[in-house]
Amino acid sequence: MPPSPGAESDAAKTERLRRMRQAASLPGYEPEPAAPHAAAHEVEDPAAKTERLRRMRQSASLPGYEPEPADAHEVEDPAAKTERLRRMRQSASLPGYEPEPPPAAAPSPVAATTPVTDPDDDARFRPPSFTPVTDPDDDARFAPPAAHRAAAPAGLQGVVDRPTRPLDQELGLILRYPATSLGLFVVSSGALLVFLIDLLFSGVRILPPGTGLALLPLALYIYSYLVCVAEAACQGREELPDWPDLGATIGLGWRLLLASAAAFAPAVLAGCLLVKASGPGIDRARIPSVGRDAVNLAGVKGLVAPGTRAADAEFVTLDGAPAPLAGGWSVLGLLGKDTADDTGTDEAFANLPSAGFGVVIDHAAQIHDLERVGRALAGKVQVYAAFADPRCKIVWGRHPYAVPASVRERFGYSELDYTSGDDDPHEVGPDDEGSDVDEALGRARDLAGRNAAAHGARVHPLAQSPFTALRFIRTEGYVFPDPFAQVRRLPAVYVLDPQGVVRREYATGVDDEKLHGDLLDLLRGGKGDAVRQPLPPSAYGLSERVGRSGAATLATGLLLLALLFGVLYFPMALLLMVAFNDGWMAFQYPAGLRAIGVAARDYAVVAGVFVGASVAGWLLQALLTATVVRALPAALGALVQGYLHQWLWLYGALVSTYAAGRFYYRNRDAIGWFNR
């Protein structure tokens, strides 16, 4: 088929596209071939061809281009060559090019000598500059020895970032220090351990013998932990420290003991002076008593239940006057019974103590417990010593000085002078021939001497009785009146309320401290089943003895001042011991007192925490005892009260030791123990 008019030939089309690619420098362009007639006559020189291709690549910036070499006769300078290559890379934007650095500005003399001041940068936001202040009184007299300073723990000589606010603004942090999960666990477990050890040494047999001594190192471990708390606080730590190594327990406990001795050694000396000036004190081991185990004696059943009315029980005084039991709180002790045995055998057996397995119950000494309770609660409770003794024979045999002269004359009992110590066989009693009477009188003399010695008096004639709080009563028959007619085992003690109703029964007797504690609880409206309470000195006849002389008064004042010094100095003694890792450093009183003086405000906070923790613990314990412990049985309540006491003590101890360490952390530079 012939081509249409105006159609482009293939050769023309190819040539057109080639020229278009040439103009746009597109791929596929090839230079126009030489004319056929010239190709036969001209052959291109290879060197010229190479040069032509190089220039083409140069103009198109294609790979393979190399700059034209310099003249062989000219040696290019290395610096000029480096500069030329840099400019070539710059023009081609090839790798290796680095922009030329700007010219360095000439330093301004004003900028070099005058700092730029920010209007917001004033003295409030600048860190305080520290300049040591030289105290004219800060000389070597108050500096601890250099050997001790060198032995101080590594974290105490240089402490950074100490707080600048007063210590009283950190009271919240101090009081909350043990209030963490770990801290509460430490307090609870440590208090339980110390409580168990305290029970063991108080005589409660809950573990095998010797267990208390085995647990002593564990108690010492708790005290060692307090030393670690103080050391961590001195270094600025706000969390509880790790437990100390068991091997370091003895050393830490020994240092804490020395710190306590340094604080309270003056109080010990003052106490010795007070004892010397006041004369002999109270020795419970030499005081006649029925014994602490009498109230817990098993195998004896009570016969008069609480709630029984006893106001109508018919008792009379030794001279026959009526003795009603109603009208006020009273204690009725059934102490003896006349069995109509003129041989004295029953009376001899009645006065024998019960003993076995470390328990001793002295039945004849029950009257002394009643006398001491009557003295302690004089004016609040009336105490009766009752005997089923119509002839006053038992009273005369045991306590002849208590029998009035009219009764002695009535029954024919002669008056003996116990100061001579001689027995007159013709004045031994109603029966001059009976040796049993001699034995009874000898036993009475012995009981009289024990009773008089128990209250600090010598034996006097019969008219003078050492019983000042007891009221002797008896019966008109040989048995006790109802509701006590069935009581066979003596002594037995009963507590009656003002209406004459029995509130407490002690079927096997009761010691003075237990009876005293129960009576105090009843007077406060309780159930009358409380823990033992110590008796005041007046119960032992010492009300006039203590403080009688001026020396005793002076010693008492010195003791109070020494105790105050110990309470205030103990935190500083603890810090000296911790800072220098030596318990004997607590005796460096000049260094400690000077440290108190240079930071008196913060140290007042520390002393207040120590005292406040003790007072708060005492108040909380009293509150819990009045609300929780009283609602429990006596035995369980005593255990709960003891544990609460130890728990509150340990919490306060952690707070107090942390406060002492925090004080040192804030005032290390002012104290200056390591600045010399």
Side-chain angles (χ1 to χ4, degrees), residues 5 13 41 88 176 180 231 245 301 347 443 538 644:
K13 181 178 180 179
H41 301 282
M88 290 174 63
R176 294 192 306 268
T180 61
E231 183 173 340
D245 296 333
K301 181 180 179 180
E347 180 66 8
R443 185 169 56 255
S538 60
L644 288 176

Side-chain angles (χ1 to χ4, degrees), residues 396-477:
W396 167 252
R398 296 184 185 180
H399 315 290
Y401 35 73
V403 180
S406 60
V407 176
R408 293 197 301 269
E409 294 177 0
R410 174 184 174 186
F411 293 105
Y413 301 140
S414 61
E415 183 173 329
L416 301 179
D417 185 2
Y418 278 79
T419 59
S420 63
D422 298 330
D423 295 337
D424 188 346
H426 300 287
E427 297 181 354
V428 293
D431 188 357
D432 294 341
E433 301 296 333
S435 61
D436 294 333
V437 179
D438 295 338
E439 182 181 356
L441 289 176
R443 185 169 56 255
R445 181 185 300 107
D446 179 66
L447 288 173
R450 290 173 55 194
N451 181 56
H455 301 290
R458 56 175 301 186
V459 179
H460 294 289
L462 298 179
Q464 301 182 11
S465 173
F467 293 115
T468 59
L470 279 178
R471 185 179 182 187
F472 285 84
I473 58 176
R474 62 179 177 87
T475 62
E476 295 287 357

Side-chain angles (χ1 to χ4, degrees), residues 553-578:
T553 304
L554 179 60
T556 303
L558 290 177
L559 177 60
L560 294 177
L561 291 177
L563 287 174
L564 179 62
F565 171 81
V567 171
L568 297 180
Y569 185 74
F570 179 73
M572 184 55 61
L574 180 67
L575 288 178
L576 281 167
M577 180 267 294
V578 170

Side-chain angles (χ1 to χ4, degrees), residues 167 174 230 233-234 571-572 574-575 606 610 655-665:
L167 193 61
I174 294 173
C234 288
M572 184 55 61
L574 180 67
L575 288 178
V606 176
F610 268 75
V655 169
S656 301
T657 51
Y658 180 72
R662 198 71 181 173
F663 164 81
Y664 179 82
Y665 179 62

Side-chain angles (χ1 to χ4, degrees), residues 27 32 35 65 71 86 116 163 200 208-209 223 230 364 389 392 435 507 517 550 554 604:
E32 184 177 1
Y65 164 71
D71 189 358
R86 189 188 67 78
V116 179
L200 292 174
Y223 289 95
D389 189 14
C392 290
S435 61
L554 179 60

